Amino acid sequence: MQDKFSKIGFILAVAGSAVGLGNAWKFPYLVGQNGGSAFVLLYLFLTFFIGLTIFFGEVAIGKLSESDPVNAFKKLAITNKNGWKFAGFTMLGAIILVSFYTVVIGWIFKYAFMVLTNLPADIETSAAIFTDFVSKDVSSQILFFTITNIICFYIVSKGIKSGIERVNVWLMPSLLVLVIAMLAYSVTMDGFIQSAKFLLVPDFTKITFDSVLTALGLAFFTLSLGVGVIIVYSANLPNNTNLVSSSIIIVIINVIMGILIGLVIFTFVFEFGAEPSQGVGLVFISLPTLFAKLGAFGHIFAFALFTALIFAGITSAISMLEPFTYYLIREFGFTRKKALVSIAAFVYIAGILCIFSNIEGVKENLVFFGKSLFDCLDYLVSNIIMPIGGITVSVFVGFVIKKEALRELYGPYMSKFMFDLWYFMIRYIAPIAIAVISVNAILS
Ligand code: TRP
C-alpha cells in the first residue's frame, strides 16, 4: 500500500511541523527581548539563507533515499556506510523533544479551559497561578499531558496519509482562520499600530552579536531542522513535486505565521501598557491579565488564542513522532501500532519525570548539571542534538552525496546560479554558522 503525502498534504504537514510553539511562544518573547523589528529582519534573513539551505539538504537526503533517517544516511553514503548511519540517530532528539513539548501543550490545554472562566486581573495573581500550577499541581499536569499524547499518538497511528496529512489539512487552515480573526480584532485597537511598528520598522542599533546567534537558533528551531523530521516527510513526497517552490512556500508560511501571531500578541502588550521584553512569561502570565481588561469578550479571545496554540503545537508534536516510528517499521518490521507503543512508553516516562522536575519537594532529585530535567532535555536537544544534526546534514550533503545526484534532483527547479550558491552555502557557510551558535550557546 502506498502511504505517501499528496503535494498539498506535504506542504501543509511540513508547515504544520514548522509552525509550532516556537513561532507562537518563543518568537514573540525573543523579539520582545531583542528589541523588535531589527531582530525580525535578522531572523528572516537567517531563515532564508542558513535555514533554507539546510532545509534543502534534508529534503535531498529524504527524497534521494526514500528511507528513514538511519537508512537514508546509510544508503546515500558511498563509503563508511555504517559510520554515517549514526547521523540518522539524531532522530532520537525528536523523541526527547516530544516528551517535554507535549508537557507544554498540556499547560496550554489547561489554560484554554481556565481562561473561559478565570482571567487574573493583575500580574502578581497571574504569576502566582502559573507558578502554583507548574510547581504544585501534579495531577492536572499529568492529566493534560496524557490527553495531549493520546491525541498525538492516535493521529500518527493512522499513518501518513489518513493520519498526519488529514489532520494537517484541517488544522493548518483552522489555525490561519483563528489567527486572522484575532488579527482583525487587533487592528481595531490602538495598540496595533505600535505593535506593527515594533515588529516591522527596523532599528538596527539594537542588533548585537548575541542577537544574531539567537535569531539563527530560532530560525533553526522553528524550521524543525536537525532531527530527521524533514528527511522523513520528504521521503514520503510524491514524485514530480517542485521541491524548491514547495520548500519556499513552507518557509514563507512559517515566517508569516510567526509574524501574524506576534502582531496579535504585541497589540495587547502595547494596548495595555505591558512590557514587551518580559521573556518567557509573556504567554502564560502577562497575556491572561491583558485579556482580562477586555471584559467578557476577553474570555473568548483568550480561548481562541490558546486553541490556536494547541493546533500549532499538535501538528508539530505529531511530526516529531514520525521519524523514529518510520525507522522501527522499516528496520525491524514493527507494525505502526507496536512502534508507537514502544515510543509512547519512553515519552510517557520522560514527560512525567519532566513534570516532576518542576514540582516542589521532588524537584531536588531531578537536577542534572545544575538544571531541572526539563531544562536539561531542552538544552540537550536545542543546543547539542539539533546543531549536530544540522552540521552532519550539511557535511553529508556538501561532501558525501554525489554532486551529480543533487544536480539531477534540484536541476529542474533551480537555476545554475542558485544551485551553485546553495551548494557553496551548504558546504561552507551553514556548518560554520551552526558550529558558532552552538559553541556560543554551550559556553554562555
Ligand atoms: N518547529 C517547531 C516549533 O516552532 C519546533 C520544533 C523544533 C520541531 N524541532 C522540531 C518540531 C522537530 C518537529 C520536529 O515549535
Side-chain angles (χ1 to χ4, degrees):
M1 192 192 70
Q2 272 286 35
D3 188 23
K4 285 195 171 193
F5 288 116
S6 67
K7 287 182 191 175
I8 180 78
F10 171 76
I11 292 182
L12 290 174
V14 181
S17 170
V19 178
L21 305 183
N23 309 60
W25 171 65
K26 247 188 186 178
F27 177 75
Y29 90 71
L30 288 177
V31 171
Q33 280 182 334
N34 288 280
S37 51
F39 181 80
V40 176
L41 220 60
L42 201 59
Y43 164 77
L44 291 182
F45 176 79
L46 293 169
T47 296
F48 280 97
F49 271 80
I50 313 281
L52 192 58
T53 296
I54 312 271
F55 193 94
F56 282 144
E58 291 203 15
V59 170
I61 295 177
K63 186 65 194 147
L64 288 175
S65 68
E66 305 204 316
S67 293
D68 60 86
V70 172
N71 286 303
F73 280 98
K74 194 169 158 184
K75 203 161 159 182
L76 299 178
I78 296 157
T79 53
N80 199 5
K81 286 180 178 286
N82 280 321
W84 272 110
K85 85 175 185 200
F86 285 101
F89 282 103
T90 49
M91 69 184 174
L92 291 171
I95 299 297
I96 300 174
L97 184 58
V98 81
S99 312
F100 60 84
Y101 200 86
T102 49
V103 171
V104 180
I105 302 178
W107 296 348
I108 298 173
F109 249 114
K110 147 91 184 183
Y111 264 67
F113 287 112
M114 182 189 91
V115 296
L116 281 175
T117 53
N118 174 21
L119 285 171
D122 57 79
I123 287 283
E124 290 72 34
T125 320
S126 189
I129 291 177
F130 182 64
T131 319
D132 274 0
F133 173 56
V134 172
S135 67
K136 297 195 180 123
D137 194 348
V138 181
S139 52
S140 319
Q141 285 193 74
I142 293 187
L143 173 70
F144 287 106
F145 166 74
T146 307
I147 295 174
T148 307
N149 275 294
I150 290 176
I151 297 173
C152 296
F153 278 92
Y154 178 75
I155 296 169
V156 181
S157 78
K158 295 283 162 199
I160 289 187
K161 198 155 178 69
S162 19
I164 298 177
E165 170 162 329
R166 177 120 58 102
V167 164
N168 277 294
V169 164
W170 281 100
L171 288 191
M172 290 306 286
S174 313
L175 173 64
L176 185 66
V177 169
L178 275 174
V179 172
I180 290 191
M182 291 189 283
L183 198 66
Y185 184 83
S186 307
V187 172
T188 66
M189 299 169 73
D190 296 334
F192 181 77
I193 300 290
Q194 268 171 292
S195 167
K197 269 200 193 134
F198 182 70
L199 286 176
L200 305 174
V201 182
D203 170 3
F204 291 103
T205 59
K206 298 259 173 61
I207 298 286
T208 62
F209 183 60
D210 261 353
S211 37
V212 177
L213 299 182
T214 309
L216 185 52
L218 180 68
F220 211 74
F221 187 84
T222 63
L223 283 177
S224 307
L225 295 170
V227 288
V229 170
I230 308 301
I231 295 180
V232 163
Y233 274 12
S234 308
N236 290 287
L237 245 168
N239 291 328
N240 309 321
T241 306
N242 184 328
L243 304 174
V244 174
S245 64
S246 307
S247 303
I248 292 176
I249 292 172
I250 290 163
V251 174
I252 291 177
I253 296 179
N254 186 46
V255 298
I256 288 186
M257 290 307 281
I259 291 178
L260 295 185
I261 298 173
L263 277 172
V264 172
I265 291 180
F266 284 110
T267 298
F268 284 85
V269 168
F270 287 113
E271 178 82 11
F272 298 115
E275 182 46 53
S277 63
Q278 58 194 302
V280 290
L282 190 61
V283 166
F284 288 109
I285 299 177
S286 178
L287 277 185
T289 66
L290 305 178
F291 290 133
K293 304 199 168 128
L294 280 184
F297 185 69
H299 294 282
I300 298 173
F301 205 102
F303 181 73
L305 183 75
F306 283 105
T307 306
L309 296 193
I310 291 174
F311 288 0
I314 285 190
T315 51
S316 300
I318 56 180
S319 75
M320 299 174 201
L321 295 174
E322 187 58 26
F324 201 57
T325 307
Y326 200 61
Y327 170 71
L328 291 178
I329 294 173
R330 299 187 43 137
E331 179 77 17
F332 298 106
F334 280 26
T335 59
R336 190 165 267 275
K337 292 235 158 56
K338 183 172 168 196
L340 285 165
V341 169
S342 329
I343 296 172
F346 174 86
V347 169
Y348 209 66
I349 295 171
I352 287 182
L353 288 174
C354 281
I355 292 176
F356 276 111
S357 78
N358 291 324
I359 296 291
E360 266 169 31
V362 200
K363 66 177 178 196
E364 294 69 21
N365 304 316
L366 289 164
V367 174
F368 301 90
F369 308 103
K371 287 182 178 358
S372 72
L373 178 68
F374 195 117
D375 294 341
C376 216
L377 294 184
D378 183 12
Y379 187 91
L380 174 68
V381 177
S382 305
N383 294 338
I384 299 175
I385 300 181
M386 286 173 38
I388 291 179
I391 293 173
T392 43
V393 165
S394 9
V395 172
F396 190 72
V397 175
F399 296 94
V400 178
I401 297 185
K402 288 203 195 83
K403 191 172 178 186
E404 267 326 295
L406 296 168
R407 208 195 292 280
E408 213 172 289
L409 184 70
Y410 280 128
Y413 313 113
M414 280 186 194
S415 64
K416 180 169 184 317
F417 172 76
M418 186 175 167
F419 181 84
D420 289 340
L421 177 67
W422 168 68
Y423 198 65
F424 177 77
M425 295 283 299
I426 202 159
R427 291 187 116 183
Y428 304 109
I429 309 292
I432 294 171
I434 299 167
V436 173
I437 15 171
S438 61
V439 168
N440 189 66
I442 290 168
L443 296 181
S444 63

